[in-house]
Amino acid sequence: MSVHGSSDWLLPEKPEEPLQSDCCGTGCTPCVFDLYEQELKLWELECKRIKSGGTGCTEASSEAPSISPTEYKKFKLTSISYMTSDSQIYRFAIPEDGSLGLRPGQHVILRGTIDSHVLTRQYTPVSDLTARGYFDVLIKLYKDGRMSKYITTWQVGDMVEWRGPFGRLTYLPNSYKHIFMLAAGTGIAPMIQIIREVVENEEDDTFVRLLYACKTYQDILMKDVLDNCASYWNFTVLYVLSQVSSPNI
């Protein structure tokens, strides 16, 4: 079939509808099905833009906001830091020393394509919210994970699509006297944001206590950051391990 005079072949793949098993069932917002509806609308807008002579996803630039909640932008992967056997920190460049402009507690959405299927996942950056020129994302890779399969193809220099920020739950200084946090594995990512926000603000008298569960000592993620935060008077952390390989730990 001829495609001359048609831009249909340039159109992005239609987002894949999530399975019922993809929903965690905890009532989180946005749910994977909410994200699917958002992705469907974005896909329709991108298709319309391309058919009218425009382009699809754009690169982040200094002439526009670094990231947008309504449009995917491409960021260059500049480094991969291996934390454990299955968890890495991926650093992405923000042009012209820009920043994402996230508030504590907010996250971004990654979009990728694998085997002609469009996938999305939510991640909370672990870099300091005041950092400029880059942002870091902590990601755990799963053996049979579809998004993990896509992420394992990444190489330094690749352009990766992100949009955001999202998240209705944001932290305000001195909103509480005490905050008790429970985290496991990469669930430490959103906690890191709040912890840094508290301890680095001299006017915030909130006391934060974190209980962080991991399988082994080697599986503790962001330990250097957490230990540094623990040097402040208003933050303490307790590491809980399900497996202890050494009697000295």
Side-chain angles (χ1 to χ4, degrees), residues 214-219 240-246 249:
C214 296
K215 188 175 181 180
T216 68
Y217 182 84
Q218 290 71 28
D219 291 321
V240 180
L241 309 178
S242 59
Q243 295 181 15
V244 179
S245 56
S246 170
I249 296 178

Side-chain angles (χ1 to χ4, degrees), residues 6 11 17 29 58 60 84 93 124 136 141 159 177 183 185 190-192 208 229-230 237 240 247:
S6 172
L11 300 181
E17 184 171 4
T29 303
T58 60
T84 67
T124 302
D136 295 336
L141 302 178
M159 302 299 292
K177 290 184 178 180
M191 308 301 181
I192 288 285
V208 181
C229 290
V237 56
V240 180

Side-chain angles (χ1 to χ4, degrees), residues 120-164:
T120 60
R121 293 292 185 272
Q122 305 170 65
Y123 295 100
T124 302
V126 294
S127 45
D128 195 311
L129 295 181
T130 62
R132 305 195 67 85
Y134 71 93
F135 68 96
D136 295 336
V137 183
L138 173 63
I139 300 178
K140 180 176 181 177
L141 302 178
Y142 296 89
K143 181 180 180 181
D144 299 316
R146 291 186 297 172
M147 182 60 84
S148 295
K149 184 177 180 181
Y150 163 66
I151 293 173
T152 55
T153 68
W154 287 354
Q155 295 184 359
V156 171
D158 285 353
M159 302 299 292
V160 180
E161 297 179 352
W162 295 93
R163 69 181 177 99

Side-chain angles (χ1 to χ4, degrees), residues 75-221:
F75 294 85
K76 180 180 288 187
L77 176 64
T78 59
S79 69
I80 303 174
S81 300
Y82 293 86
M83 308 296 290
T84 67
S85 60
D86 58 9
S87 298
Q88 288 86 46
I89 290 181
Y90 300 85
R91 174 163 292 188
F92 296 89
I94 303 177
E96 298 298 326
D97 212 29
S99 68
L100 293 184
L102 272 66
R103 296 192 304 272
Q106 291 191 308
H107 61 271
V108 292
I109 295 177
L110 164 69
R111 180 171 71 175
T113 303
I114 193 74
D115 298 330
S116 299
H117 296 295
V118 177
L119 308 172
T120 60
R121 293 292 185 272
Q122 305 170 65
Y123 295 100
T124 302
V126 294
S127 45
D128 195 311
L129 295 181
T130 62
R132 305 195 67 85
Y134 71 93
F135 68 96
D136 295 336
V137 183
L138 173 63
I139 300 178
K140 180 176 181 177
L141 302 178
Y142 296 89
K143 181 180 180 181
D144 299 316
R146 291 186 297 172
M147 182 60 84
S148 295
K149 184 177 180 181
Y150 163 66
I151 293 173
T152 55
T153 68
W154 287 354
Q155 295 184 359
V156 171
D158 285 353
M159 302 299 292
V160 180
E161 297 179 352
W162 295 93
R163 69 181 177 99
F166 297 97
R168 299 176 184 174
L169 178 63
T170 55
Y171 175 76
L172 296 176
N174 292 307
S175 297
Y176 310 94
K177 290 184 178 180
H178 296 85
I179 295 178
F180 183 66
M181 297 178 170
L182 297 173
T186 51
I188 192 61
M191 308 301 181
I192 288 285
Q193 278 193 6
I194 305 297
I195 294 167
R196 275 179 168 155
E197 183 70 12
V198 172
V199 301
E200 294 176 1
N201 182 357
E202 293 183 355
E203 303 300 320
D204 196 337
D205 294 327
T206 305
F207 188 87
V208 181
R209 172 71 165 170
L210 169 67
L211 191 155
Y212 185 25
C214 296
K215 188 175 181 180
T216 68
Y217 182 84
Q218 290 71 28
D219 291 321
I220 299 175
L221 301 170

